[in-house]
Amino acid sequence: MKKPKKISRSLCSALGFFLGLAAFSGYTENAAATDSSNGSTNLPLAGVSLKIGTSGLFGPFSYYSEDGSTLIGYDIDLINALKEKLGFEIEGGIEAINYNALTTSLEQGRLDLAAAALCATEDRKQVVDFSEPYHDSGLMVMVNKTANSRITGVNDLAGKIVAVESGTAAHNYASKNLGKTEIQVHETITTAYISLEQKKIDAVIQDTVGCIFYIASTPQTECELVGEEFSKHEIPYAIAFRKNFEYLSEFKTALAKLKADGTLDLLHDKWCTLSSQKSLQNLEESESDHKILESLIPILLSGLNLTLLIAFFGIIIGFAIGSPTGYALQSKSKIGRSIANCYIWVIRGTPIAVQAIYIYYVLPIFIPSLRTSSTIAGILVVSINSGAFIAEIVRGALQSVDEGQKEAGATLGMTELQILRHIVIPAALRLATPALFNQFIIALKDTSLLSMISVAEMTQKARDYAGMNFRVIPIYTTLALFYLLIISILMVLQKFVERKMGNMTLIHSTPRTVIAKV
């Protein structure tokens, strides 16, 4: 009987051993899976969320696809390749920002990094950090072949009108080396190309790959490249990072791996050679104006939502600012009048574009808590700007109220507050209605200037789409019709409200009637 017991104990021990081994094995597998999911093994930045920016208007490095909302290009593929290597997440998607504002956004911490064919110049290295170069490009001169400008290269540009894009290597080169040349600096390269097509300028200087992209994607162009490539190896493209970026070494290591395994060479062959642009040429030839409009209208509608949002809240907040300010202008308080006059003087004396740049880029340098989104900044700009003009509208309306009405109210025993509430304000509101509607229309149109701080309203959406296919006639004509339709609706609404308010007889607001109600 003892022998079976020994066997049973042995079997139980063996079973316990194997169960324990299995449990330990399962634990290690789960731990390995957990470590892998957390990115501790192969993805050093797993779980890290980064704010990334690009240009969106510089093909073939970053531009919009046919749908007008999806960013594509060399830089976009590069970011995605780095994401696969490192495992980071992109907060809110890649943000398209005006090229010359990318460095400022990095300096202020609005972005963690930017990939937009940025040249690692010594000036930029003072405010941002750079990776090792991932692409090397030179500059080329582009002319209109029907203009007979006799330009055969960069040495023939003296005395000519030459266009460059703001903040680019071409801009830097022209400023330093073309002293006898008239330089036109354009906000986007698209408008520079259009000016050359229309023979308003003599030449454009741009990165070689950008010139190739434009010629390949615009089959009806009259532009051509002349001369040899210059400034080769002097304008390397690199990824820019905000100062003291904690993951800079990881990105440099990942970029070195992409270079070693041939990924960068594949990206160059895909995006930066003349042969790689043939598909673009075939695409553009097949696109009719009708097809462009089919893609453009949904894009403009998405921008319209933001345009109306900013204009609506801007005028509401502006009215809240302007009404007490307008009342203060005619108050007995010297301090109140001085503050109101100073506010109106500053706002009316500066362009709204300058105000937008100052509020979005300059003030956050001194007050970091003011680093808001471009949409919030846009609402703030329109509110502050509208408030100054509404203050003058309110002041004029208050002064236009018949003094006899006020005196009659006082004679009937009304208090000063009752006179203001029941006589002055209703009468002033009727007088101010046309001007207030006009100010709302102005605010709506002013939103088109907010593209300077990368607000994706209608005008910015149209510019982005034009930067993809350069078909400016149907695009900007449609944009103009959109604005005309919206403002026409507002004008009809204005007439309706004025007519309704005009039908109110004065007897409804006479002091005697008000006293009866009070």
Side-chain angles (χ1 to χ4, degrees):
M1 296 296 295
K2 291 182 179 180
K3 190 171 182 180
K5 287 183 179 180
K6 287 183 178 180
I7 294 173
S8 114
R9 282 199 299 268
S10 300
L11 288 174
C12 288
S13 299
L15 181 61
F17 172 78
F18 285 112
L19 286 174
L21 183 62
F24 178 76
S25 175
Y27 170 78
T28 55
E29 287 177 0
N30 290 336
T34 302
D35 289 342
S36 177
S37 65
N38 290 334
S40 60
T41 304
N42 298 320
L43 301 176
L45 300 189
V48 175
S49 183
L50 301 176
K51 294 174 288 185
I52 301 178
T54 190
S55 169
L57 292 176
F58 182 51
F61 283 87
S62 64
Y63 64 106
Y64 286 91
S65 64
E66 290 180 78
D67 61 13
S69 59
T70 304
L71 286 166
I72 59 175
Y74 185 111
D75 285 324
I76 309 304
D77 284 355
L78 177 60
I79 292 171
N80 290 329
L82 289 169
K83 182 180 177 182
E84 290 183 6
K85 289 283 186 184
L86 298 173
F88 60 85
E89 299 296 327
I90 302 174
E91 183 179 329
I94 301 173
E95 184 178 0
I97 298 176
N98 287 344
Y99 187 86
N100 55 0
L102 283 167
T103 305
T104 305
S105 297
L106 288 166
E107 183 182 4
Q108 294 182 353
R110 296 181 188 275
L111 297 175
D112 294 307
L113 62 100
L118 282 166
C119 301
T121 63
E122 293 301 321
D123 291 336
R124 287 177 176 157
K125 289 179 181 179
Q126 302 301 316
V127 293
V128 298
D129 292 324
F130 283 97
S131 67
E132 293 300 315
Y134 62 84
H135 188 272
D136 194 11
S137 177
L139 299 175
M140 288 288 290
V141 175
M142 183 185 293
V143 299
N144 189 312
K145 55 189 175 185
T146 65
N148 194 26
S149 60
R150 297 182 180 179
I151 297 174
T152 60
V154 67
N155 295 326
D156 298 327
L157 297 179
K160 304 294 184 179
I161 303 174
V162 178
V164 295
E165 183 181 9
S166 176
T168 61
H171 184 190
N172 186 54
Y173 176 88
S175 300
K176 292 181 179 180
N177 299 284
L178 302 180
K180 297 181 180 180
T181 303
E182 181 181 340
I183 306 299
Q184 279 192 7
V185 181
H186 290 247
E187 190 69 21
T188 67
I189 194 61
T190 305
T191 56
Y193 291 147
I194 295 170
S195 296
L196 185 60
E197 296 281 8
Q198 297 175 355
K199 303 179 184 179
K200 295 178 180 177
I201 57 176
D202 297 308
V204 168
I205 297 179
Q206 178 63 314
D207 296 23
T208 303
V209 289
C211 293
I212 293 173
F213 175 82
Y214 174 74
I215 292 175
S217 59
T218 314
Q220 304 302 322
T221 183
E222 295 180 343
C223 298
E224 65 177 356
L225 299 177
V226 295
E228 298 293 328
E229 186 179 39
F230 56 98
S231 286
K232 184 71 173 175
H233 307 302
E234 295 181 14
I235 48 173
Y237 296 162
I239 301 173
F241 303 87
R242 59 176 171 81
K243 282 289 186 181
N244 302 315
F245 182 58
E246 54 270 34
Y247 304 114
L248 179 59
S249 61
E250 285 84 351
F251 270 88
K252 287 185 174 181
T253 300
L255 189 61
K257 290 180 179 178
L258 293 178
K259 183 176 182 180
D261 65 18
T263 300
L264 297 186
D265 292 332
L266 292 175
L267 292 180
H268 176 272
D269 293 340
K270 178 181 177 181
W271 295 105
C272 300
T273 61
L274 185 59
S275 59
S276 68
Q277 304 299 334
K278 290 182 178 179
S279 59
L280 284 172
Q281 182 173 353
N282 294 333
L283 171 65
E284 294 297 327
E285 287 176 345
S286 64
E287 281 191 333
S288 63
D289 289 347
H290 177 71
K291 186 176 180 181
I292 287 177
L293 291 178
E294 286 182 353
S295 301
L296 176 63
I297 290 176
I299 294 169
L300 292 182
L301 287 175
S302 66
L304 175 61
N305 294 333
L306 191 55
T307 296
L308 293 176
L309 176 73
I310 293 174
F312 177 77
F313 282 103
I315 205 70
I316 294 296
I317 299 172
F319 185 78
I321 296 172
S323 297
T325 305
Y327 185 76
L329 287 172
Q330 59 173 14
S331 69
K332 297 178 182 179
S333 171
K334 289 184 179 180
I335 296 177
R337 289 200 308 272
S338 298
I339 293 174
N341 278 312
C342 183
Y343 161 63
I344 293 172
W345 169 64
V346 171
I347 299 302
R348 293 181 67 184
T350 54
I352 189 172
V354 175
Q355 295 166 18
I357 293 172
Y358 202 86
I359 288 174
Y360 190 65
Y361 291 116
V362 180
L363 284 183
I365 296 176
F366 304 104
I367 310 175
S369 60
L370 292 180
R371 290 176 182 172
T372 62
S373 67
S374 58
T375 301
I376 298 299
I379 293 174
L380 185 60
V381 170
V382 174
S383 301
I384 294 174
N385 186 269
S386 298
F389 292 93
I390 290 174
E392 290 290 1
I393 294 171
V394 170
R395 179 188 63 80
L398 291 174
Q399 291 179 347
S400 299
V401 176
D402 187 7
E403 288 293 329
Q405 292 275 339
K406 301 177 188 178
E407 294 173 359
T411 301
L412 292 173
M414 296 177 66
T415 65
E416 186 174 343
L417 182 60
Q418 288 175 331
I419 293 173
L420 178 65
R421 178 183 175 187
H422 296 289
I423 296 175
V424 176
I425 291 180
L429 186 59
R430 285 197 300 273
L431 293 169
T433 296
L436 289 174
F437 260 99
N438 187 60
Q439 184 59 40
F440 180 59
I441 291 173
I442 292 173
L444 182 68
K445 293 190 291 186
D446 281 346
T447 59
S448 64
L449 297 173
L450 297 179
S451 59
M452 301 189 68
I453 58 173
S454 303
V455 175
E457 43 71 52
M458 280 203 304
T459 301
Q460 181 65 35
K461 290 283 189 178
R463 289 174 62 189
D464 291 343
Y465 194 61
M468 186 267 287
N469 55 31
F470 307 104
R471 302 287 285 274
V472 294
I473 295 177
I475 292 173
Y476 287 114
T477 300
T478 305
L479 176 65
L481 291 174
F482 259 71
Y483 276 110
L484 185 61
L485 176 62
I486 297 163
I487 292 172
S488 297
I489 293 172
L490 290 175
M491 292 172 66
V492 171
L493 180 61
Q494 175 184 347
K495 296 297 182 183
F496 174 78
V497 173
E498 288 179 13
R499 187 166 58 252
K500 285 293 184 181
M501 297 188 73
N503 291 335
M504 298 180 182
T505 59
L506 291 177
I507 194 170
H508 290 156
S509 59
T510 59
R512 189 175 298 277
T513 305
V514 171
I515 283 292
K517 294 179 180 179
V518 175

